[in-house]
């Protein structure tokens, strides 16, 4: 090969080498660019975090109390208050409720209805422990404590001489009883249990007594106003029968069982 041919060959090889070097530089630059500049088609998704754990205590949304069959509400009298014939401070005066019963326990009333007056103040219609039996009236809601709820109901049958305790309208206890003599009759009507007493244990009252809102219309001069009680007796041989001054007597084992099953505030129907 001549010198001229060799020179041309060297130039050609050099040119090819330069071209390869330039191509390699371009490829490297593109790679670096693709790594340093994020592409809209290759954006990394953010990591998925685990869900927050459920709290140990959940406070549910408040739900208003609804009346239902077999459920009754009662409330204690927080302060002495005047009872009105309707839901208004201008309505006719009915009676005055004390915060304590004659036996020294908290006075309670059975809640029947609710209403607002013209000023938007809430009033409650309650069953009253006064004569005439069956009286009701309205008191400001703020005069009462929190509501208590019971699902029991005591039904006293004066003809059949039995007392039946219902829970959610189903009988769970039925016992023989003693009731008032004809001259001291046990009053009929709708009442409620005001208190439960154990400090009057005696042969006459037995180990336990319930005070009710019912009152004798005959023995009005009795201590405390002649309230009708439900209590035991140490003379079970007299039951069933018409043997009392108006109170409802049970055998001692029956009144103790009733004490375990019937809470204060339970409605009482005497028929």
């Amino acid at each position: 090969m001549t010198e001229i041919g060799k020179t041309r060959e060297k130039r050609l090889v050099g040119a090819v080498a330069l071209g390869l070097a330039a191509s390699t530089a371009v490829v490297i630059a593109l790679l670096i660019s693709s790594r340093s500049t994020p592409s809209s088609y290759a954006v990394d998704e953010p990591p998925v975090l685990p869900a927050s754990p459920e709290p140990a205590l959940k406070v549910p949304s408040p739900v208003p109390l609804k009346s239902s069959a077999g459920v009754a509400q009662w409330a204690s009298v927080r302060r002495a208050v005047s009872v009105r014939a309707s839901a208004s401070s201008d309505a006719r005066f009915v009676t005055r409720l004390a915060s304590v019963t004659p036996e020294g326990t908290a006075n309670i009333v059975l809640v029947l209805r609710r209403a607002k007056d013209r000023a938007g103040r809430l009033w409650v219609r309650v069953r009253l422990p006064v004569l005439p039996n069956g009286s009701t009236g309205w008191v400001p809601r703020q005069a009462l404590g929190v509501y208590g709820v019971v699902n029991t109901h005591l039904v006293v049958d004066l003809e059949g001489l039995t007392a039946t305790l219902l829970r959610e309208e189903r009988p769970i206890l039925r016992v023989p009883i003693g009731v008032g003599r004809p001259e001291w009759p046990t009053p009929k009507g709708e009442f409620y249990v005001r208190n439960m007493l154990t400090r009057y244990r005696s042969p006459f009252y037995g180990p336990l007594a319930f005070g009710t809102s019912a009152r004798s219309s005959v023995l009005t001069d009795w201590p405390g106003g002649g309230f009708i009680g439900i209590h035991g007796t140490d003379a079970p041989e007299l039951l069933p029968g018409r043997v009392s001054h108006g109170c409802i007597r049970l055998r001692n084992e029956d009144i103790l069982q009733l004490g375990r099953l019937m809470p204060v505030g339970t409605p009482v129907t005497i028929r």
Side-chain angles (χ1 to χ4, degrees):
M1 180 179 295
T2 63
E3 290 296 329
I4 296 175
K6 290 180 180 180
T7 301
R8 288 179 178 175
E9 185 177 0
K10 289 180 179 179
R11 290 178 178 175
L12 180 61
V13 171
V16 172
L18 288 174
L20 289 174
S23 298
T24 301
V26 170
V27 171
I28 292 172
L30 289 174
L31 288 174
I32 294 174
S33 176
S34 65
R35 291 179 180 178
S36 61
T37 304
S39 171
S40 61
Y41 295 98
V43 176
D44 292 337
E45 294 292 333
V48 178
L49 298 176
S52 300
E54 292 291 330
L57 175 65
K58 281 188 175 181
V59 179
S61 300
V63 177
L65 291 174
K66 297 181 180 179
S67 58
S68 58
V71 175
Q73 296 177 7
W74 59 270
S76 59
V77 181
R78 294 176 54 195
R79 56 177 174 81
V81 61
S82 296
V83 182
R84 302 291 175 176
S86 61
S88 170
S89 56
D90 298 327
R92 176 177 57 85
F93 174 83
V94 176
T95 188
R96 189 162 178 82
L97 282 175
S99 60
V100 179
T101 69
E103 298 80 23
T105 63
N107 195 12
I108 71 168
V109 287
L110 197 66
V111 175
L112 302 177
R113 284 188 57 196
R114 301 166 186 79
K116 290 183 178 180
D117 60 17
R118 294 180 179 178
R121 291 172 295 192
L122 185 61
W123 289 70
V124 180
R125 185 186 179 198
V126 299
R127 193 172 299 287
L128 299 171
V130 300
L131 288 173
N133 285 310
S135 296
T136 64
W138 293 83
V139 296
R141 175 65 184 91
Q142 63 184 6
L144 303 178
V146 297
Y147 291 135
V149 179
V150 295
N151 61 358
T152 47
H153 183 188
L154 185 69
V155 179
V156 177
D157 183 353
L158 298 179
E159 294 299 322
L161 296 175
T162 60
T164 303
L165 182 65
L166 309 176
R167 178 182 292 157
E168 296 179 349
E169 300 188 307
R170 297 179 180 181
I172 59 172
L173 178 68
R174 181 176 286 112
V175 296
I177 59 173
V179 298
R181 297 176 184 178
E183 62 270 32
W184 304 308
T186 301
K188 296 181 179 180
E190 299 295 329
F191 310 102
Y192 61 94
V193 176
R194 294 176 78 198
N195 49 26
M196 183 170 65
L197 306 167
T198 57
R199 65 178 180 268
Y200 295 104
R201 182 184 179 96
S202 69
F204 184 77
Y205 288 111
L208 178 66
F210 289 98
T212 76
S213 61
R215 299 179 70 164
S216 173
S217 58
V218 179
L219 302 174
T220 55
D221 58 343
W222 271 38
F227 283 98
I228 300 300
I230 304 170
H231 58 78
T233 177
D234 284 0
E237 67 276 5
L238 299 179
L239 309 182
R242 305 181 189 282
V243 296
S244 77
H245 290 85
C247 288
I248 300 163
R249 298 185 190 178
L250 281 68
R251 296 173 300 192
N252 287 343
E253 60 267 28
D254 293 336
I255 194 68
L256 289 174
Q257 188 173 8
L258 192 64
R260 291 189 291 268
L261 298 174
M262 185 173 72
V264 170
T266 295
V268 178
T269 299
I270 304 177
R271 61 192 184 192

